[in-house]
Amino acid sequence: MTGRTSMAATAAPAAVATPTACYLGVAIPARLADEGARVALVLLALAREHSASLGGLLVAALMVPHVIAAPVAGALADRVRHRKLFHGLGLAAYGTGLAATAWALGRIPTALVLLLVLAAGCCAPLVTGGLTSLLAELLPERALTRAFSIDSTTYNLAGVLGPALAAMLAATIGPGAALFALGMAALTGACAVPLLRLPARPRTKDRTTDALRPAVLAAGAREILGNPPLRSVTWASSIGQIGIGALPVITALLATERHAGWAAGGLMTAFAVGAMAGSLTYAVKPWTRTRPERVVLLCLPLIALPLALAACVAGMALTTALFATAGWATGPLFSTLLAARERYAPLPLRTQIFTLGAGLKSTAAAAGAAGIGALGGLGAAPLLGMAAAAQIVGAGVGVVLLTHPPRNARRASASREHGTTPAVRRPARLRRHLRPR
């Protein structure tokens, strides 16, 4: 009996590890391509058209659909029967769009190139939140906390290696070949999608076309606005991301002011390495499995403190350590943000909520970079203080939204306490919020 128990205990982790390994085979190359493409597009525009502004337009065309196309991509993913085919084709279209742009820029009209990049960007939500939303169906519930921590490291890894890989390839084989290689990386991820253990959904009447109706496209946004934990973590993390998105601009100013050219990239590398370490630490020892929203709100001040101290110190070694410490706190934050989306999102809207949340974070980061860029004359120290303040504001907003649920949610809770059935159409959401698993 003991031998059989031991064999079962060793077999269980192996059963969990295999789906995780297959998932990483999809996520890592696709996200490397997503992060690296932003650098490769700028370098390609400079090499062929000698225009940094065109590079910015290309990056914007790739990034804007992260939030605009998110409701459509998420709604379709929540409704299609053959998810492997849908996600595989989405990643393949993304990679093909990047590879085609590598050839097209400078050879066809610029307007058509922008449309091509825009079309590729419409598939980008499947690379980020779309893939993450699959974890709950690939793994048992007991493994999800660790899986979300591991998944958050793929974002960190892509953030560190993607731009570096794009720059290295552009310097060695040319920016066009670099963008083409990144497109092939996304196609590699698409080829690994069939290895995921995603059974086809039960055959019902075809609801795919219904996913394009306005009411369906707005369902995820309504859920985020009305579900207290989802609403709290979404807005808190998005406000905090405004400050995080501003850090690349701030570090460039800091490097100039302190005459340390390496700091422009070195501080962000330290931040990203710290984030990866934080995610791995949380994967080994999670702080909670039942209330991930509390960890999100706790981590925001933990990010703010080292950033605020970095604005006050002069030594670059200490500044680098403080950036790494701030990055470390983002690891548990992102891991539990993903866990909160999975825990509180109703199953029919799960992918839509994941893609919308990822799109909002990307938009907030872009807004932070643009806003800080306009305030660059203030100097690096005040701007670092603003980035730290964004974390505190995000935490405060999150606490208020969590502790003051919408009126209809309070009414539904009171009705259940009095034994009546509330007139709401989404009781599953409220049950999941009020009764921990």
Side-chain angles (χ1 to χ4, degrees):
M1 178 69 71
T2 304
R4 256 188 304 216
T5 303
S6 176
M7 289 176 64
T10 56
V16 172
T18 301
T20 303
C22 293
Y23 174 84
L24 293 177
V26 176
I28 290 175
R31 288 171 181 163
L32 279 173
D34 188 42
E35 292 287 343
R38 304 169 198 179
V39 174
L41 285 169
V42 175
L43 295 177
L44 184 61
L46 287 171
R48 291 193 185 165
E49 300 291 335
H50 309 288
S51 173
S53 61
L54 175 58
L57 283 175
L58 290 170
V59 173
L62 188 69
M63 293 296 295
V64 167
H66 275 68
V67 66
I68 294 178
V72 178
L76 288 172
D78 283 326
R79 287 171 172 257
V80 295
R81 183 164 181 254
H82 299 285
R83 287 167 291 172
K84 287 184 186 180
L85 180 63
F86 179 77
H87 285 272
L89 288 177
L91 296 187
Y94 184 72
T96 302
L98 295 181
T101 303
W103 172 86
L105 187 63
R107 293 185 172 92
I108 67 174
T110 301
L112 294 180
V113 176
L114 288 170
L115 288 176
L116 178 61
V117 176
L118 195 66
C122 289
C123 302
L126 296 177
V127 176
T128 53
L131 285 179
T132 301
S133 69
L134 299 177
L135 282 171
E137 300 189 51
L138 294 171
L139 297 168
E141 186 176 332
R142 67 180 183 278
L144 284 180
T145 298
R146 180 168 298 176
F148 285 127
S149 296
I150 294 172
D151 187 50
S152 69
T153 65
T154 68
Y155 289 94
N156 299 327
L157 185 68
V160 174
L161 296 183
L165 180 63
M168 182 189 69
L169 290 175
T172 54
I173 61 178
L179 186 59
F180 182 85
L182 292 170
M184 291 301 102
L187 283 169
T188 301
C191 291
V193 170
L195 300 177
L196 301 178
R197 297 176 181 175
L198 283 174
R201 290 190 172 108
R203 187 182 296 276
T204 58
K205 70 172 187 175
D206 185 12
R207 299 183 303 156
T208 304
T209 55
D210 291 343
L212 302 178
R213 293 170 50 203
V216 175
L217 295 178
R222 286 200 305 270
E223 187 68 26
I224 288 174
L225 291 173
N227 183 321
L230 275 180
R231 187 176 61 153
S232 172
V233 299
T234 298
W235 291 114
S237 62
S238 296
I239 293 171
Q241 194 66 20
I242 294 173
I244 301 302
L247 290 182
V249 179
I250 296 173
T251 54
L253 289 171
L254 198 64
T256 301
E257 291 179 3
R258 299 188 182 181
H259 307 288
W262 62 269
L267 291 176
M268 289 310 301
T269 299
F271 186 89
V273 170
M276 193 180 307
S279 296
L280 292 174
T281 303
Y282 193 79
V284 173
K285 188 66 175 177
W287 301 348
T288 179
R289 295 182 185 274
T290 57
R291 299 304 297 270
E293 67 276 14
R294 293 181 177 178
V295 179
V296 172
L297 300 180
L298 172 64
C299 285
L300 286 167
L302 294 181
I303 298 169
L305 179 59
L307 289 180
L309 290 175
C312 304
V313 301
M316 289 307 298
L318 182 54
T319 301
T320 303
L322 289 170
F323 266 76
T325 304
W328 184 92
T330 67
L333 184 151
F334 192 38
S335 301
T336 50
L337 175 62
L338 300 178
R341 289 175 187 163
E342 187 280 328
R343 179 176 179 80
Y344 298 112
L347 183 59
L349 300 175
R350 178 185 290 157
T351 307
Q352 190 177 151
I353 285 171
F354 268 92
T355 54
L356 268 173
L360 286 170
K361 282 194 69 182
S362 296
T363 303
I372 290 296
L375 298 172
L378 295 177
L383 296 181
L384 258 180
M386 291 181 187
Q391 315 308 311
I392 301 298
V393 172
V397 170
V399 169
V400 170
L401 294 178
L402 184 64
T403 56
H404 294 77
R407 186 176 300 174
N408 61 343
R410 292 196 299 267
R411 188 184 301 121
S413 176
S415 300
R416 272 193 305 277
E417 291 174 0
H418 289 86
T420 60
T421 303
V424 284
R425 301 181 62 185
R426 294 173 293 172
R429 162 175 63 81
L430 295 169
R431 284 201 302 272
R432 294 181 71 176
H433 169 49
L434 294 172
R435 185 180 62 197
R437 294 177 183 174

